[in-house]
């Protein structure tokens, strides 16, 4: 299976430095254009999975891909609990939250385990397919840990974010 991961397009919260977490979020004008560009870039996929949070679903909808689109709650961003909707800086140091949940929320380790569960099901259902996943930064770190470099999640969450037009993994 070929798994292509793309982050959801830019949101109003991203532009304001807000950590949306489990809140729905809304794409900004720039994000809506990015979503359309994703659709041009990823015409060759067999199936699309996304988080059920609005910003990820909206990204896929605006991409106008012809492949079936399935939503899966296991692809949600980390639940920051009481910190959903605060400034991104308020989440630091993120590495401290790999094994310890945010108050009223999850840990990044929880996201890794949900992503692992998702991968097992997708491999079973779509083993020979090209699968596009549209989700959030925590899922990218989980995929990079599980399928990519294998680097510890503590290192991945502490590293600066560098956007690129998708990450490709062989499963």
């Amino acid at each position: 299976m070929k798994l292509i991961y793309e982050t959801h397009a830019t949101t109003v919260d991203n532009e304001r430095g807000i950590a949306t977490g489990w809140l729905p979020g809304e794409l900004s004008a720039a994000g809506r254009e990015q979503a359309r560009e994703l659709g041009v870039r990823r015409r060759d996929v067999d199936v699309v999975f996304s988080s059920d949070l609005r910003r990820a679903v909206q990204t896929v909808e605006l991409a106008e891909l012809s492949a079936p689109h399935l939503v899966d709650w296991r692809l949600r961003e980390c639940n920051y609990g009481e910190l959903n909707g605060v400034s991104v800086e308020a989440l630091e140091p993120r590495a401290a939250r790999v094994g310890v949940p945010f108050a009223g929320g999850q840990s990044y380790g929880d996201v890794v385990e949900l992503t692992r569960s998702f991968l097992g099901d997708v491999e079973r259902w779509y083993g020979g397919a090209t699968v596009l996943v549209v989700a959030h930064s925590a899922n990218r770190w989980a995929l990079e840990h599980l399928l990519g470099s294998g680097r510890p999640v503590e290192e991945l969450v502490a590293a600066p974010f560098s956007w690129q037009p998708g990450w490709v993994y062989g499963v």
Side-chain angles (χ1 to χ4, degrees):
M1 178 177 76
K2 178 180 177 183
L3 187 142
I4 303 167
Y5 173 80
E6 295 259 2
T7 58
H8 65 74
T10 300
T11 66
V12 173
D13 282 353
N14 294 143
E15 293 177 349
R16 294 180 179 160
I18 301 297
T20 312
W22 271 23
L23 300 175
E26 184 69 29
L27 297 187
S28 67
R32 290 189 295 276
E33 181 57 32
Q34 291 165 354
R36 287 187 280 277
E37 291 168 3
L38 182 148
V40 172
R41 194 168 55 246
R42 300 298 178 197
R43 291 275 177 229
D44 59 344
V45 300
D46 299 311
V47 64
V48 181
F49 283 89
S50 77
S51 159
D52 64 344
L53 294 173
R54 179 68 189 139
R55 57 199 185 267
V57 171
Q58 189 179 24
T59 297
V60 175
E61 289 172 348
L62 289 172
E64 296 184 346
L65 297 164
S66 59
H69 174 208
L70 306 166
V71 296
D72 194 310
W73 75 272
R74 294 174 295 181
L75 295 172
R76 284 184 171 198
E77 176 62 275
C78 187
N79 182 359
Y80 308 131
E82 296 170 8
L83 298 180
N84 286 324
V86 301
S87 72
V88 171
E89 293 80 24
L91 302 181
E92 297 299 338
R94 289 180 191 246
R97 297 301 182 173
V98 172
V100 177
F102 288 93
Q106 299 173 292
S107 70
Y108 288 110
D110 293 333
V111 176
V112 170
E113 292 311 311
L114 288 169
T115 303
R116 185 187 317 272
S117 169
F118 167 79
L119 288 172
D121 288 342
V122 170
E123 173 64 21
R124 188 168 38 260
W125 300 329
Y126 296 98
T130 299
V131 177
L132 174 63
V133 173
V134 177
H136 311 275
S137 59
N139 311 102
R140 185 181 67 83
W141 296 325
L143 288 169
E144 187 61 25
H145 172 72
L146 295 168
L147 302 177
S149 67
R151 289 173 47 200
V153 178
E154 292 82 357
E155 286 180 24
L156 294 165
V157 301
F161 176 73
S162 179
W163 183 88
Q164 65 184 53
W167 290 259
V168 179
Y169 301 99
V171 180

